[in-house]
């Protein structure tokens, strides 16, 4: 990556600082996409576990409905809420914004559990998941791809700024 400057001296074409400036936004977005992937898979897995338990019963699946709400649904809502806090980076905040429907769905399902029982809340959670399949399967990956494009574009700008400073 260097070119010859005479008398045995070579200079690096691109310094590591330029590469780091380029890769920093991409790195941040990939971390945010990883969070997005984990929480989306948690949501889809919770909906699947709840539907299996509703269809086959808790004894057969060894998964009580209350435990799924306690260990999966409620922590997912709190995780999305923490993604939107002020101290988070912009990529993580945007991830929280994209997952805001998950938080609303979890909170509303939990409210239904409190008012009408665990069975009603579980049915609502599964039916809402079926009604919003397009968001989790189509929109979320599209948003992730757009975020990577923006990160590469901004990384390119940051790299050029760092390159001009050298």
């Amino acid at each position: 990556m260097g070119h010859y400057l005479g008398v045995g001296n070579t200079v690096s074409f691109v310094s590591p600082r330029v590469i780091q400036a380029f890769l920093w936004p991409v790195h941040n977005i990939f971390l945010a996409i990883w969070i997005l992937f984990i929480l989306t898979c948690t949501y889809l897995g919770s909906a699947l576990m709840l539907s299996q338990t509703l269809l086959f019963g808790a004894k057969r699946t060894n998964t009580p409905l209350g435990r799924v709400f306690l260990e999966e649904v409620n922590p997912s809502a709190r995780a999305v809420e923490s993604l939107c806090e002020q101290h988070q980076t912009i990529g993580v905040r945007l991830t929280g914004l994209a997952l805001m429907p998950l938080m609303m769905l979890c909170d509303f399902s939990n409210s239904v559990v409190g008012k009408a029982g665990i069975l009603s809340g579980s049915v609502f959670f599964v039916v809402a998941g079926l009604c919003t399949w397009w968001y989790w399967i189509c929109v979320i990956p599209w948003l992730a791809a757009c975020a990577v494009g923006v990160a590469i574009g901004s990384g390119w700008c940051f790299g050029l700024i760092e390159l001009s400073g050298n």
Side-chain angles (χ1 to χ4, degrees):
M1 289 190 76
H3 56 285
Y4 186 69
L5 292 179
V7 199
N9 297 326
T10 59
V11 173
S12 174
F13 180 69
V14 179
S15 73
R17 293 180 62 185
V18 173
I19 295 171
Q20 181 182 8
F22 171 73
L23 291 178
W24 185 250
V26 178
H27 166 76
N28 285 339
I29 283 299
F30 279 133
L31 289 175
I33 288 173
W34 182 245
I35 294 168
L36 186 75
F37 179 73
I38 289 171
L39 287 171
T40 302
C41 287
T42 301
Y43 167 68
L44 296 173
S46 299
L48 182 65
M49 282 192 296
L50 285 172
S51 62
Q52 285 176 340
T53 303
L54 287 171
L55 289 173
F56 303 119
K59 287 184 181 179
R60 185 171 266 180
T61 61
N62 198 23
T63 310
L65 296 173
R67 190 173 80 194
V68 175
F69 267 88
L70 188 63
E71 295 177 0
E72 302 289 333
V73 176
N74 294 335
S76 294
R78 298 300 64 84
V80 172
E81 188 176 20
S82 71
L83 293 177
C84 297
E85 292 176 353
Q86 241 179 356
H87 69 277
Q88 302 289 1
T89 63
I90 188 70
V92 174
R93 282 183 173 179
L94 289 174
T95 300
L97 182 64
L99 289 172
M100 197 61 70
L102 172 63
M103 186 184 83
M104 292 186 316
L105 177 65
C106 292
D107 285 343
F108 192 75
S109 296
N110 200 29
S111 174
V112 171
V113 166
K115 288 183 172 61
I118 191 75
L119 183 64
S120 299
S122 300
V123 168
F124 175 78
F125 192 82
V126 171
V127 169
L130 292 174
C131 290
T132 59
W133 66 269
W134 55 272
Y135 185 77
W136 310 109
I137 306 299
C138 300
V139 174
I140 292 288
W142 181 79
L143 289 173
C146 290
V148 170
V150 169
I152 289 172
S154 63
W156 182 256
C157 292
F158 292 153
L160 288 176
I161 291 169
E162 188 65 38
L163 186 64
S164 69
N166 286 341

